[in-house]
């Protein structure tokens, strides 16, 4: 089959979505399928090479709302033209942004079936509060409506865990839903260099590992606070944070302010191909994550495949990976003290917890990549065979997305705090009168009023 994967998140980004895309694409190509990945362009990029996979880059500009993300043109004629030559059978989109919109529109115009995969809970306040940290604000309910515009356009929707599927359905997605794991390739791991890895970072035999984006939505602050409590009882303990992200400097500053700061190590980003062969999983004692926004958590799967006991927040996809007291421990979201207690217990009793490490290996077996690719082949074939049933389905209209600007609210206090002091007197009176103005029409009216006030303030002759 000829499969086109559309994603706004792709290399050179390093995250779980990218890892999942590369895994599915490379394994499908190994089975003889033709795979095309459509993703944003990056300046001076040395393109990743995936055997049997073709990559089409769409011209892009930087997106201000999140580090490394790009805006692209959802009407790219050159991309349409390139895709027509590939004789695509199935379109698979991974992100609810413009690249995926391009894929949906292309598929509907060509009568091609569409499958969408839900990777990220961007409606969760841990994400949205920082994505919309400027003057524009949007509610969780509105974000779910936006997400459903994309996923309701699909003929089939997947997410990595049953819990993620439950949440998506509960928030209004009407498309057929199924849990399909991101999967994990056990053959990728090589722990023969663990001693070298341990020496490189000066690791003890009491190491807590976190791998992932170093960003607000991963609740790194909760993990650092938990580790500081662990350190009060165990001065040999270390926290190893592997990854990079927009808030790395902030969390490094938080770590430095703690008594345990000298035992918290930030490695920065390590390419996935290098990480799985670095020996890191044998060089540490356990894995911990305080994130509440995981649809699954590929790094959790990787830790479990290497026999690590995992401690995680009891929310999102982690509840389907960690069985409390069996292969790991779940704690209440945001509870640093509870997380510290479980981490300390594992470090103190690791020699007697071999049964939990073995359970971790056994329970992750259902996520083996060969089993996951079997299911993807079935889904793609079934959709292709039923393509006539979906040929008339409508595609996502850009005007529909624009209507969501009416749901935005403007935080004038935010604007006020950033305006020069000489202007604050008249702007403050304007803010007091208008507070928050929802909707595009009202926003336009508000801007016009602000312009009139500013003109009067700076041109005395115009005052009535």
């Amino acid at each position: 089959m000829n499969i086109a994967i559309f994603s706004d998140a792709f290399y050179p980004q390093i995250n779980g979505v990218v890892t999942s895309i590369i895994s599915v694409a490379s394994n499908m190509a190994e089975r003889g399928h033709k795979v095309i990945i459509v993703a944003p362009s990056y300046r001076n990029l040395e393109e990743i090479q995936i055997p049997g996979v073709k990559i089409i880059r769409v011209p892009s500009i930087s997106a201000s709302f999140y580090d490394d993300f790009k805006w692209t043109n959802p009407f790219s004629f050159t991309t349409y033209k390139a895709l027509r030559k590939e004789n695509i059978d199935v379109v698979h989109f991974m992100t609810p942004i413009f690249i995926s919109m391009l894929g949906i529109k292309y598929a509907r115009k060509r009568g091609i079936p569409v499958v969408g995969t839900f990777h990220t809970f961007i409606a969760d306040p841990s994400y949205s509060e920082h994505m919309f940290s400027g003057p524009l604000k949007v509610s969780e309910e509105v974000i779910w409506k936006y997400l459903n515009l994309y996923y309701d356009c699909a003929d089939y929707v997947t997410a990595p865990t049953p819990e993620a599927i439950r949440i998506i359905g509960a928030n209004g997605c009407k498309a057929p839903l199924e849990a399909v794991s991101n999967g994990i390739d056990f053959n990728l791991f090589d722990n023969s260099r663990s001693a070298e890895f341990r020496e490189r970072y000066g690791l003890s035999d009491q190491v807590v590992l976190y791998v992932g984006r170093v960003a607000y939505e991963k609740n790194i602050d909760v993990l650092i606070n938990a580790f500081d409590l662990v350190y009060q009882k165990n001065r040999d303990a270390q926290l190893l944070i592997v990854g990079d992200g927009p808030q790395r400097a902030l969390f490094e500053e938080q770590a430095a302010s703690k008594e345990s700061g000298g035992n918290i190590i930030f490695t920065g980003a390590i390419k996935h191909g290098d990480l799985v062969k670095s020996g890191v999983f044998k060089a540490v004692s356990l894995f911990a994550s305080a994130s509440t926004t995981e649809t699954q958590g590929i790094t959790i799967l990787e830790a479990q495949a290497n026999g690590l006991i995992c401690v995680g927040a009891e929310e999102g996809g982690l509840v389907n990976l960690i069985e409390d007291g069996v292969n790991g421990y779940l704690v209440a979201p945001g509870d640093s003290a509870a997380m510290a207690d479980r981490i300390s217990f594992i470090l103190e009793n690791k020699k007697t917890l071999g049964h939990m490490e073995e359970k971790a290996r056994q329970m992750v077996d259902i996520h083996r990549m060969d089993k996951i690719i079997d299911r993807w082949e079935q889904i793609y074939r079934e959709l292709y065979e039923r393509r006539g049933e979906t040929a008339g389905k409508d595609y996502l209209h850009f005007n529909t997305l624009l209507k969501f600007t009416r749901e935005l609210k403007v935080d004038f206090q935010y604007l006020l705090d950033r305006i020069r002091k000489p202007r604050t007197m008249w702007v403050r009176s304007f803010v007091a009168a208008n507070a928050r103005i929802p909707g595009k029409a009202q926003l336009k009216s508000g801007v016009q009023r602000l312009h009139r006030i500013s003109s009067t303030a700076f041109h005395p002759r115009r005052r009535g």
Side-chain angles (χ1 to χ4, degrees):
M1 296 185 70
N2 298 337
I3 303 149
I5 296 175
F6 291 75
S7 180
D8 298 85
F10 192 60
Y11 183 86
Q13 294 182 41
I14 300 175
N15 56 48
V17 178
V18 176
T19 299
S20 176
I21 292 169
I22 292 174
S23 295
V24 171
S26 59
N27 278 275
M28 291 297 291
E30 285 178 8
R31 296 194 180 192
H33 301 285
K34 185 177 182 179
V35 181
I36 299 96
I37 296 175
V38 183
S41 64
Y42 287 80
R43 186 175 297 178
N44 302 320
L45 175 66
E46 183 178 341
E47 188 62 270
I48 185 173
Q49 301 301 313
I50 308 173
V53 177
K54 180 177 181 179
I55 300 172
I56 297 176
R57 295 286 182 173
V58 181
S60 67
I61 59 174
S62 293
S64 60
F65 72 90
Y66 213 77
D67 188 50
D68 289 340
F69 269 83
K70 300 285 186 176
W71 294 125
T72 56
N73 177 11
F75 309 101
S76 173
F77 176 75
T78 55
T79 305
Y80 286 163
K81 187 175 180 181
L83 287 169
R84 280 200 296 268
K85 299 176 183 178
E86 305 295 344
N87 194 27
I88 302 300
D89 296 317
V90 176
V91 161
H92 188 170
F93 72 87
M94 301 286 188
T95 50
I97 318 180
F98 287 159
I99 286 282
S100 294
M101 182 179 182
L102 187 156
I104 293 169
K105 294 175 76 67
Y106 176 80
R108 292 308 173 210
K109 288 188 176 186
R110 307 285 294 182
I112 300 169
V114 177
V115 58
T117 292
F118 194 105
H119 281 289
T120 309
F121 289 127
I122 64 172
D124 188 284
S126 297
Y127 269 101
S128 60
E129 286 178 4
H130 301 292
M131 287 175 63
F132 295 94
S133 59
L136 296 179
K137 306 298 179 185
V138 62
S139 69
E140 186 175 350
E141 180 184 2
V142 169
I143 296 175
W144 274 111
K145 288 180 180 179
Y146 167 84
L147 293 172
N148 289 334
L149 282 180
Y150 278 84
Y151 290 100
D152 284 347
C153 285
D155 302 304
Y156 208 70
V157 170
T158 72
T161 57
E163 178 64 9
I165 288 295
R166 184 195 67 78
I167 293 170
I168 295 164
N171 282 279
C173 183
K174 297 180 176 63
L177 301 169
E178 180 183 346
V180 180
S181 174
N182 285 313
I184 184 170
D185 188 345
F186 285 66
N187 297 321
L188 292 177
F189 300 104
D190 179 0
N191 286 314
S192 62
R193 298 168 57 195
S194 61
E196 178 185 335
F197 187 91
R198 190 178 288 115
E199 182 179 357
R200 183 186 311 155
Y201 292 103
L203 302 181
S204 69
D205 62 351
Q206 302 274 296
V207 182
V208 181
L209 174 66
Y210 166 82
V211 180
R213 280 180 65 79
V214 184
Y216 287 125
E217 71 271 10
K218 300 300 184 180
N219 293 340
I220 306 294
D221 58 330
V222 176
L223 179 59
I224 291 174
N225 290 336
F227 177 75
D228 194 60
L229 294 174
V230 172
Y231 179 78
Q232 304 307 317
K233 299 179 180 179
N234 184 350
R235 299 287 169 162
D236 292 327
Q238 294 172 302
L239 173 60
L240 183 68
I241 297 176
V242 178
D244 208 344
Q247 282 79 50
R248 177 181 168 185
L250 181 68
F251 291 123
E252 285 179 331
E253 185 177 340
Q254 179 195 359
S257 71
K258 299 291 186 180
E259 187 178 353
S260 60
N263 283 31
I264 301 176
I265 303 163
F266 290 80
T267 69
I270 300 177
K271 290 182 179 179
H272 185 256
D274 296 332
L275 180 69
V276 294
K277 298 183 184 301
S278 68
V280 60
F281 295 106
K282 190 177 179 181
V284 302
S285 307
L286 68 133
F287 189 100
S289 172
S291 174
T292 59
T293 60
E294 304 297 332
T295 53
Q296 183 170 52
I298 292 178
T299 56
I300 294 280
L301 290 178
E302 292 175 340
Q304 292 174 329
N306 284 276
L308 289 179
I309 300 171
C310 297
V311 180
E314 192 173 7
E315 193 160 322
L318 296 191
V319 302
N320 296 130
L321 300 185
I322 300 174
E323 188 173 339
D324 192 50
V326 178
N327 66 340
Y329 294 103
L330 292 168
V331 300
D335 192 337
S336 293
M339 178 163 281
D341 180 69
R342 294 294 86 193
I343 290 173
S344 293
F345 177 81
I346 296 168
L347 291 177
E348 292 168 6
N349 299 278
K350 185 169 172 57
K351 292 181 180 179
T352 66
L353 298 177
H355 63 288
M356 293 186 71
E357 294 174 338
E358 185 56 33
K359 271 293 184 182
R361 293 188 187 94
Q362 292 174 2
M363 294 173 70
V364 80
D365 188 70
I366 60 172
H367 301 283
R368 283 185 177 274
M369 187 57 72
D370 56 345
K371 298 177 181 179
I372 304 307
I373 297 302
D374 286 345
R375 182 56 189 139
W376 275 121
E377 283 188 315
Q378 293 173 351
I379 290 172
Y380 291 151
R381 286 200 182 100
E382 289 168 5
L383 286 173
Y384 181 74
E385 289 169 0
R386 295 190 293 106
R387 62 192 181 279
E389 300 174 19
T390 60
K393 193 168 183 177
D394 198 11
Y395 58 83
L396 183 60
H397 295 275
F398 190 70
N399 285 342
T400 305
L401 292 180
L402 286 180
K403 290 179 182 178
F404 272 81
T405 60
R406 300 175 184 173
E407 305 284 352
L408 296 176
K409 294 184 179 180
V410 181
D411 185 349
F412 284 98
Q413 184 62 49
Y414 177 95
L415 295 173
L416 174 61
D417 292 341
R418 283 155 179 78
I419 291 177
R420 296 178 309 174
K421 289 184 179 180
R423 298 185 181 181
T424 56
M425 184 179 298
W426 58 266
V427 175
R428 187 175 288 115
S429 64
F430 172 76
V431 172
N434 292 275
R436 293 172 181 259
I437 299 180
K440 186 166 60 175
Q442 293 92 333
L443 177 58
K444 181 178 179 181
S445 173
V447 171
Q448 290 172 341
R449 291 180 63 190
L450 181 58
H451 176 71
R452 288 197 299 270
I453 294 172
S454 64
S455 297
T456 303
F458 289 100
H459 299 278
R461 294 180 185 174
R462 297 182 186 175
R463 295 177 183 171

